[in-house]
């Protein structure tokens, strides 16, 4: 019987459990993960477990799953399952980062099935706040068929001027260690 990773070779990746501290966040990740989204995802992970794999490149840089890694850190996981891809060009990796997030935005909910599933979870005393949907928005959705989360999270920024590229790198790494959402900018 073939090892799972032997079977996965034809798809260009392998799966392994990777220490979180060995993963590298892609500094130009176009998807922003707010504190609220990270905490909600962490709550889901705590209730259900880490079930959605992270994709990384051969250098352990995250292709997709940045939010899942942040949430895993939030609940104290030290390692997570990751799929390490080996057959993509840098251009394909960039495209995959965007496509992975965009494709879910292009779909929509079947209101009838969603209501049935949520009602069943409620009847089983499952904490539906772990789904990332606030109760008022769920009720509004069932009434109108349109989900509009009207809460707008404020964002605050700080610009740090560095004298050298090395200093910029050091400051960036310190912020990353502190789990602060940041990106590099050279003017």
């Amino acid at each position: 019987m073939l090892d799972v990773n032997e079977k996965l070779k034809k798809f260009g990746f392998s799966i392994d459990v990777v220490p979180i501290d060995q993963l590298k966040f892609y500094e130009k990740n176009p998807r922003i993960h707010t504190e609220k989204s990270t905490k909600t995802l962490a709550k889901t992970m705590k209730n259900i477990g880490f079930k959605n794999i992270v994709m990384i490149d051969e250098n352990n840089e995250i292709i997709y799953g940045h939010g899942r890694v942040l949430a895993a850190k939030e609940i104290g996981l030290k390692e997570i399952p990751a799929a390490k891809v080996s057959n993509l060009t840098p251009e394909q990796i960039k495209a995959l980062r965007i496509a992975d997030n965009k494709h879910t935005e292009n779909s929509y909910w079947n209101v009838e099935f969603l209501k049935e599933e949520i009602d069943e979870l409620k009847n089983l005393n499952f904490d539906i706040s772990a789904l990332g949907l606030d109760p008022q928005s769920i009720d509004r959705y069932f009434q109108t068929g349109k989900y509009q989360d009207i809460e707008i999270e404020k964002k605050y920024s700080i610009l740090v001027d560095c004298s050298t590229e090395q200093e910029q790198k050091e400051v960036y790494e310190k912020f990353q260690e502190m789990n602060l959402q940041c990106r590099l900018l050279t003017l």
Side-chain angles (χ1 to χ4, degrees):
M1 183 172 196
L2 280 178
D3 169 91
V4 171
N5 281 326
E6 281 298 314
K7 291 180 180 181
L8 293 174
K9 273 185 182 177
K10 69 180 178 182
F11 297 104
F13 67 92
S14 61
I15 297 177
D16 201 359
V17 175
V18 180
I20 288 180
D21 62 4
Q22 290 182 11
L23 297 175
K24 301 170 190 158
F25 283 83
Y26 178 60
E27 65 187 44
K28 293 182 356 183
N29 182 29
R31 191 62 154 184
I32 295 171
H33 299 281
T34 64
E35 185 176 337
K36 179 183 176 184
S37 69
T38 299
K39 287 192 181 305
T40 303
L41 185 52
K43 190 172 187 177
T44 302
M45 275 185 196
K46 202 168 191 175
N47 286 334
I48 299 170
F50 193 101
K51 304 296 183 209
N52 199 348
I53 204 157
V54 170
M55 179 75 69
I56 59 177
D57 68 13
E58 292 174 320
N59 299 312
N60 287 350
E61 186 171 68
I62 301 168
I63 296 173
Y64 62 73
H66 292 79
R68 291 188 287 280
V69 174
L70 291 170
K73 283 183 171 186
E74 178 85 17
I75 63 171
L77 294 180
K78 301 295 181 210
E79 55 185 20
I80 58 171
K84 187 173 280 196
V85 71
S86 59
N87 68 341
L88 295 179
T89 66
E91 295 80 16
Q92 290 172 317
I93 289 173
K94 284 181 184 297
L96 183 55
R97 277 191 183 101
I98 296 168
D100 180 65
N101 286 297
K102 184 58 183 162
H103 289 312
T104 56
E105 292 175 5
N106 291 337
S107 60
Y108 57 93
W109 294 105
N110 177 311
V111 181
E112 183 180 332
F113 292 158
L114 178 63
K115 184 168 178 20
E116 285 178 25
E117 293 291 306
I118 290 175
D119 286 344
E120 286 178 30
L121 288 171
K122 284 180 181 177
N123 291 336
L124 295 168
N125 295 319
F126 185 85
D127 180 5
I128 62 165
S129 69
L131 303 176
L133 304 169
D134 71 87
Q136 294 81 16
S137 292
I138 291 172
D139 292 340
R140 221 176 15 257
Y141 185 77
F142 291 148
Q143 293 167 3
T144 66
K146 295 179 181 174
Y147 181 81
Q148 293 178 333
D149 191 352
I150 58 172
E151 182 179 330
I152 298 173
E153 190 166 319
K154 293 181 181 176
K155 298 192 184 305
Y156 303 93
S157 299
I158 295 176
L159 181 62
V160 178
D161 289 323
C162 299
S163 318
T164 65
E165 188 174 345
Q166 181 60 35
E167 181 186 12
Q168 180 190 43
K169 181 181 178 191
E170 290 169 7
V171 169
Y172 176 77
E173 288 172 356
K174 284 180 187 173
F175 285 168
Q176 287 286 8
E177 288 171 11
M178 296 165 53
N179 287 329
L180 295 174
Q181 182 72 35
C182 56
R183 61 188 73 194
L184 295 175
L185 177 65
T186 304
L187 301 174

